[in-house]
Amino acid sequence: MAMIALCRGTVTVRAAVLTLALVAGVFTLRSGLAFLLATPATAQLALSIDPTNTNALSMDANERLKTVELGAPAAKLAADSRRILEHSPYEVVALRNIGIIAASNDDEKAAAKLLDIAARLSQRDYLTHAWLLDYRFRTNEAALAVTEADILLRQDDQNWPVILPALISLTRDPRIIDPLARVLATRPYWRGTFLMRLGSDNPYP
């Protein structure tokens, strides 16, 4: 029916519809190409193709957080991350960036709220869960700290050289023992390595 209606329309209407179709096609192609290019090495190229592509913006913001300085550069990154959220309200990198920058400005309560949302949206973001591990322990939330350590250890074996020694160090605090024992009882695949390292590395057995 749509094709029939189009064929019967006036030349002006048909031209308008064709223009809209071409614009939509170019936009879709541009967005798709930017999506394919949205990697750390090519984020800037992707943004030159489509400055509004959320994937490229997120990748760029993720890379910038690694080297951003406090002050104006951090404020700009936070502002850019807020713009990402305008397009994609559940973008984990943007939420995490704003949260970590808030923490660097001594607003840890605001940071914790944002990073907690980011953590619920994704268990794969290392910086989100690493910050929460530290924060939960410092705010006497031992069970939640162990949960964050478990998430980080399950994410990637490459996290183990950092997280395992940190968790072993935390066992000096008696508040950690019960929640850690409950997690170990579930037999996470990092358990064997942890127990072996606990026996050999812990200076406070």
Side-chain angles (χ1 to χ4, degrees), residues 1 8 11 25 30 33 38 44 59 61 64 90-91 93 98 111 115 127-128 130 142 157 162 165 172 188 202:
M1 291 298 294
R8 290 180 178 175
V11 173
R30 184 180 64 180
L33 183 57
Q44 288 300 319
M59 191 69 68
R64 286 165 60 194
Y90 302 108
E91 179 55 52
V93 168
I98 298 169
L115 289 161
L127 291 177
T128 293
D157 293 3
V162 174
R172 287 178 283 175
N202 192 356

Side-chain angles (χ1 to χ4, degrees), residues 49 69 87 89 168 187:
I49 295 170
E69 297 179 0
H87 295 282
I168 289 169
R187 294 188 170 274

Side-chain angles (χ1 to χ4, degrees), residues 114-187:
L114 289 165
L115 289 161
D116 189 53
I117 295 171
R120 290 200 299 270
L121 291 170
S122 173
Q123 293 197 340
R124 300 299 306 167
D125 190 71
Y126 176 84
L127 291 177
T128 293
H129 292 281
W131 189 90
L132 285 171
L133 167 59
D134 174 70
Y135 178 77
R136 299 302 186 198
F137 182 75
R138 288 188 291 104
T139 54
N140 300 318
E141 298 171 284
L144 292 176
V146 172
T147 297
E148 295 297 341
D150 181 37
I151 291 170
L152 288 161
L153 291 168
R154 290 174 188 268
Q155 280 179 0
D156 194 329
D157 293 3
Q158 293 184 11
N159 295 346
W160 291 15
V162 174
I163 303 304
L164 283 175
L167 187 56
I168 289 169
S169 178
L170 293 181
T171 60
R172 287 178 283 175
D173 191 315
R175 296 171 301 164
I176 289 292
I177 303 305
D178 183 57
L180 178 58
R182 288 199 299 271
V183 169
L184 291 174
T186 66
R187 294 188 170 274

